[in-house]
Amino acid sequence: MSDTYGDCTLLDAQTAELVDWHDDVRASHDQEFEAMKEIVQRLGAHYTDGRAEVGFWTPELLDADIPETDVYLEVLTPTEDVDPYGHDSLTFTRERVPLERNGEFHWGVVDGMKPGTREHLGSLYQLAYEDDGEWKTVPDPLAYSVPFGAFAPAELYDMERLDRERADRDYFQAFGTDEERIPTSEDDGVPRVDPATSMVEIHPGTATEAGSLGGLARQYEDIGDKLRAGEDLTPAERNFVGYDAIQVMPVEPITENEDIHEFWAVETEGDEAGEIEVAVDRPDMINWGYDIVISAFSATNPAILETGRPDELVDFIATCHNLPEPIRIVFDVALGHSDNGGLKLLNDYYFEGPGMYGQELEYPHPVVRAVLLEMQRRKMDFGADGIRVDGAQDFTNWDPELEESIHDDDYLAEMDHIVQEVGGQEYRPWMIYEDGRPWPREDWELASSYRALIEQHPHSFQWSPITFAHNTPALLTFWATKWWRVREVADFGGNWLTGVANHDTIRRGTQIDPTVEFNQSPVNPYLGETLPETLDEAYNNPASSMLFHCMLPGVPMDFIHANMRAPWGFVRDTDSLWNVKVVSDESKFLYWQVRPQDFQHEQHFQRIKEMGFESRDQLRKFMNALSATVKATDYDLDVMAEMLSAMEQPLGDDLSAADLEAYAYAWMQDVHDFANLTHWHDSQDDDRTAFDLSVREFRQERQWLLSDLDYDREDFGYVHPTEGTVVYYGLRESPDGDEQVLFAANMEGVPVEVSPEFLREEMEVPVAAEGWNVELAAPGVDEDSDEFELANSQAVVWTREL
């Protein structure tokens, strides 16, 4: 350890200045919330001028009558210069530094703490206090780095250095100038990032072999090198490009299953030891990202950091910003609830009570409200260009007079107003809300306008009704029965995210129960001969892709797993209570996503096979039985185990609840591995991926398609009568009047012939008889014909210069 660090000391004069500042801020504001928005910016641990400034909000210590003299900052400094991972254990010096209490807060300026850097692990810290002879700890909810997870001590990190050395500072500093690489618009004196033209959603945990942000950065570095050199991309690499934005699924720290995860365990006995040995491990949890604990939200989930360094997230962002065609990064922010694991990390003031997804948060509390907003600000300061607010309809407060929960739109407005500062540049991000209010009211799907927040914030975007969770294009008549929602996209979808494929919709597709014969089911028989083929075609579909990228307004969003026609499901090994139920809910995954040869492949389902399952059909039978017992027993694991013991299955005739939990854990791990895109690179079709990329490039070249249709000169409709085929058609015209785009697609049904002449008779606006050139035709369509026979999922786009 460097001689510069150690012998941590509270600096009395600087601490007094910090407390005085706190008092001055409170005195200068009439509203407590306004004061708290300023005060919380100095909570947590900040390394500046060679010292650590720390602050904790601790009302629970006052409630418990803990004397100030029994409260300390516990500092754990590694005895060697090491990176976090690759060790079975690490040795730390343990020091406890007194802090100064000021009302519900504890403050301190501490000398001697070691800052974490790209190369080395820094001092870890937590609040520690003695209560009735027992030492207890309080984690930092506003930490910047938690290399061993949210349930372990946080790391003091040199964030000023991280920002100073980021490789995309020029990208940010150009905002609002003639040199900017992506467009911004002025918003109350601050640049706001403009919306993208099209976007792809990516799950970092399964997108690359490494399953990390570092692996994703390398993926885009390789692509960037090829683009600069003029080299061809592989079919798999094509699936990642053609977009000017990436929405990464949540990168916040997540809950842990304490029965199977232990990444930090103090092995030295005695609370007073000055040097301790700690068993450590890289967090290897699998999760789709939404089971967050709120605490340490401002840090990055170490399960997707191969280095344990916050730099890894910044490097990924900088790589995308510095591509020949820059790509915006959109963070998926899930601040609408906490997993129950958050109860172990945050004081009770943070929580309103149990809710649908764990714990509802207490948004009206002025400190909680300010802390949550500060968590968002710190996370976005890693350099994101946009923010997608997960489940905005879930931000609610209980109104005792109305006896119902009301939407906290004032809080959502506060989220929208936050100013980021990255690379010396202030800006506001592109704002996207997922909001299906009045969900979960029974009639929500019919009643939701998906425009409530757009109307309040005209620059903001929302997920469209076609994009929202309940979206099943694998079913016959989907495009006919959902026509009214598709038409809404044309009418006023300019501020919507559009498209059918995302992390939620494919999962909904895999939950459809195909219990009747395939050719008699409501599944669209024209999409494929098997259920996996059908699902692949439903969510990676030439007609729907051309509809959203070449015709309709808004910002089309695809999902990388759909682009790759790779499996996707609900994956998490972080819930010790509900993991068996979650797996039972996914029982139909075996029908929709797993071919017999996939199961038999030696790479796949290794853990399940070790348990004795020899075939997909045998596993299907067990999964169906498991699902049935959940319903029959109201999820009583002991009774479920007894019932399943009576059937013929490889787990034995004396099953226990623990056996079912072990099975569920193995299933989650196997599905997570099965969904890793690396397995599916070699199966990418050259023609299909080239066509999909050409569709996205068409959109990028015509960014004016973002705007709503002008029905004085544009049109969108479908052919009546349908006669067994749902044919969508449309006409778009550029604002300058120099180009028209003509579109026809067989969204579902029997083959049908289309041509510009045919569309002239259908449309309500004049369509020229001549001058049309085929710009795009779905694979299998003869581009040289005057008339085109379009089979199910095929489409044609013509263009005409004016």
Side-chain angles (χ1 to χ4, degrees), residues 181 220 223-228 319-326:
R181 301 194 66 202
Y220 276 98
I223 288 172
D225 290 343
K226 286 188 175 182
L227 293 175
R228 293 183 188 94
T319 295
C320 294
H321 286 167
N322 291 333
L323 288 170
E325 296 294 334

Side-chain angles (χ1 to χ4, degrees), residues 16 27 30 272 320 343 377 401 539 700:
D30 295 330
E272 303 297 336
C320 294
L343 293 169
R377 187 186 70 83
E401 294 183 2
Y539 290 103
Q700 292 293 330

Side-chain angles (χ1 to χ4, degrees), residues 84 221 225 776 800:
E221 285 170 2
D225 290 343
L776 290 169
R800 177 173 175 270

Side-chain angles (χ1 to χ4, degrees), residues 336 355-357 360 391-396 398 404-407 434-448 450 468-470 508:
M356 184 176 295
Y357 301 112
E360 303 291 345
Q393 74 276 339
D394 297 330
F395 292 75
T396 59
W398 179 256
E404 64 179 9
S405 290
I406 59 173
H407 295 288
E434 181 206 35
D435 188 290
R437 66 184 69 181
W439 188 91
R441 205 173 79 190
E442 287 188 4
D443 66 341
W444 74 271
E445 199 167 3
L446 181 68
S448 179
Y450 300 89
F468 210 69
H470 298 280
R508 297 298 179 188

Side-chain angles (χ1 to χ4, degrees), residues 198-201 243 245-247 330 430 432 497 555-558:
S198 64
M199 182 157 64
V200 63
E201 184 183 27
Y243 304 96
I246 296 170
Q247 178 181 303
V330 175
W430 175 31
I432 306 166
L497 267 290
V555 175
M557 185 177 73
D558 301 325

